[in-house]
Amino acid sequence: MSAPSSKVNKNVLPAGFFQFMLYNRVILVVVQVIFNHLIPDHQSDGFQSPYKHFTVNSSMLDTVVEFTLGGFSRWDGQYFLHISTLGYTHENCLAFFPAYPILLRFPAICLSPFSHYKLSDWNTSLLSSLLINILSFVIAGKYLYLITVKLFGNPYFAFRTWKLFCFSPATIFFLAPYSESLFSALTFGGIYYCIEYKFLLASIFFSASSLTRSNGLVNIGFLLFFVAKAAFQTKWKHLPVLIAEFLISVVITVVPFLCYQYYAFKLFCFHNPHNLPEVIHSHLVDGNFTVRGEKIPVWCDKSIPVSYSYIQSHYWNVGFLRYFEWKQVPNFLLAFPALLLVVLYALFYVRENFDIRFGSNPFKNGHSPVHPIFRRDAGVFAAHSIFLGLFTFFFAHVQISTRLIGSSCPAFYWIMCWLMDDKGKKSQGPKNRTSMEQLSLLREQDLSASGKCVRFYCFSYVVAGTAMFVNHLPWT
């Protein structure tokens, strides 16, 4: 997917890149604090870790962290913080992969010798989550920018794509103790190195992503695509080497997922004494949770004892068409914009490439499309986004579409950028704007109707999502 002949330094980031992303995160944290203390919390039926049943805030620092960041510890954030502080105590926890909760402990270990104040493990993990998420988000933004400018050779389009990422509809999940920021950094990093044909390096990123979220395994598709592209471009001269690289890369990507499943098997499929505090154990037993080492779960007796699929089906009712109920209509409406965008991208891509013939080079463009994002050799991104869209629509809890697609798919931001640019007509370069006007979506002038819709979508989901999430309202 070679860039246009215009000479651009594809590794130079825009001025103010890192500063803006940091300011953006700080402002959103302040907005979270305001919403968390302005609106009363809703009493939901979501999981609440029993950690606080046997500990209390022991210092002023605990109180400060709880006051400023407590709104983030909602919904699945409770699971990640629980695993970080107490480990995989019960079966439900196995749905949440270990890379992120393990990572939450590192800042605590590094900072503890230098702290003059006692900070509880829970609030240490909560503070760590914010630091890790901000760092991961900046890295993800950098890779998304580099991916876009390298593929399409248009720094301005890449700049606007990155700007939309900073105001992603999934923003609250990039800040809360969720694995979305880390997963984005790993996925976008792996894609970038695939584009560079550094497949073994890409596989390291993808292997970490498969230890972060189950859909990290889907990233094998990028390895397959770019290996095949390299084979076409070299006219099969280096095919044995490319096949070997691909196979090694797949193994590197898959092994962490298999290791985690083996760890779950060893932890839950044998009667082992636990070392949980009694108050934690009693709370889990009273809640009818399957505590590790006590009751052998059903999935342990399967010929292939994989915990993830069973737990998703048994505890969260994940399965084909299971979510198609009238009471879930609001969740389908919540997911509708994200699903519509990936469907639009796929439809425009097919329309631009409908004349592809059997035997033709799938990586060679037959004609100039309306925009480079619809070139034939961008097909892997269209396939990736529509696959995740269809999966979340038919199989998963549909409301996760926004964060799943927003943390995985560059095409999600490309199609929004294309719509904001009035379908590519204004993406040739920046106008005479101040640096702040270039960075702010709110100051964009003369947007088309579609551009205004995209801007409204992003900002409404940032504001409404933050307000609802931090008050335990249904925004998961």
Side-chain angles (χ1 to χ4, degrees), residues 369-447:
V370 295
H371 193 277
I373 66 172
F374 302 117
R375 294 204 313 245
R376 182 182 296 176
D377 52 359
V380 66
F381 297 97
H384 179 242
S385 59
I386 198 65
F387 171 80
L388 292 180
L390 292 174
F391 176 80
T392 54
F393 183 78
F394 287 109
F395 290 90
H397 290 189
V398 71
Q399 67 267 30
I400 73 169
S401 300
T402 304
R403 61 184 174 95
L404 185 70
I405 295 170
S407 64
S408 309
C409 302
F412 178 63
Y413 300 100
W414 295 340
I415 188 66
M416 285 197 290
C417 187
W418 180 67
L419 291 169
M420 285 200 76
D421 280 343
D422 194 16
K423 300 181 180 180
K425 295 179 181 177
K426 295 188 268 185
S427 62
Q428 301 306 312
K431 296 180 179 180
N432 295 324
R433 302 189 183 107
T434 66
S435 58
M436 183 54 67
E437 286 175 332
Q438 290 185 48
L439 289 170
S440 175
L441 282 178
L442 287 172
R443 299 193 183 194
E444 293 272 357
Q445 302 295 324
D446 303 323
L447 287 176

Side-chain angles (χ1 to χ4, degrees), residues 37-254:
H37 295 285
L38 189 65
I39 303 172
D41 283 353
H42 172 68
Q43 298 300 317
S44 75
D45 58 354
F47 172 71
Q48 294 292 314
S49 173
Y51 178 87
K52 292 186 178 181
H53 285 225
F54 75 98
T55 186
V56 293
N57 290 347
S58 57
S59 71
M60 182 177 293
L61 189 56
D62 265 316
T63 304
V64 170
V65 172
E66 183 67 29
F67 180 86
T68 54
L69 303 180
F72 287 136
S73 58
R74 308 293 191 229
W75 297 111
D76 289 353
Q78 285 280 318
Y79 276 106
F80 284 113
L81 294 173
H82 177 88
I83 297 167
S84 175
T85 53
L86 295 170
Y88 287 91
T89 58
H90 56 288
E91 188 180 28
N92 307 54
C93 294
L94 292 174
F96 302 90
F97 281 38
Y100 183 68
I102 289 173
L103 200 58
L104 295 185
R105 298 304 301 158
F106 287 157
I109 295 171
C110 295
L111 295 175
S112 58
F114 305 98
S115 177
H116 297 290
Y117 303 96
K118 172 64 177 170
L119 189 62
S120 68
D121 289 343
W122 181 272
N123 285 326
T124 300
S125 293
L126 183 57
L127 180 59
S128 298
S129 73
L130 181 66
L131 298 176
I132 290 168
N133 285 356
I134 290 176
L135 177 61
S136 298
F137 185 77
V138 171
I139 294 172
K142 172 188 173 181
Y143 278 125
L144 178 61
Y145 176 86
L146 293 176
I147 288 168
T148 307
V149 77
K150 281 184 176 291
L151 290 180
F152 309 126
N154 187 334
Y156 181 56
F157 184 81
F159 173 77
R160 296 195 70 177
T161 298
W162 161 78
K163 188 164 59 173
L164 281 167
F165 181 66
C166 292
F167 296 97
S168 170
T171 285
I172 185 59
F173 304 107
F174 287 123
L175 276 169
Y178 278 56
S179 57
E180 266 65 18
S181 286
L182 178 62
F183 187 77
S184 286
L186 296 170
T187 298
F188 294 163
I191 293 172
Y192 172 77
Y193 290 112
C194 279
I195 295 169
E196 293 282 287
Y197 298 128
K198 299 176 181 178
F199 300 119
L200 295 179
L201 183 56
S203 69
I204 294 174
F205 277 78
F206 289 153
S207 68
S209 75
S210 71
L211 199 60
T212 304
R213 295 185 63 91
S214 61
N215 57 302
L217 295 176
V218 179
N219 292 328
I220 291 173
F222 290 108
L223 289 169
L224 176 62
F225 176 84
F226 284 100
V227 166
K229 182 182 177 184
F232 267 95
Q233 288 182 338
T234 59
K235 297 181 179 179
W236 314 103
K237 291 180 181 179
H238 305 292
L239 184 60
V241 175
L242 288 171
I243 291 176
E245 274 196 272
F246 173 70
L247 293 177
I248 294 172
S249 298
V250 170
V251 170
I252 293 173
T253 301
V254 172

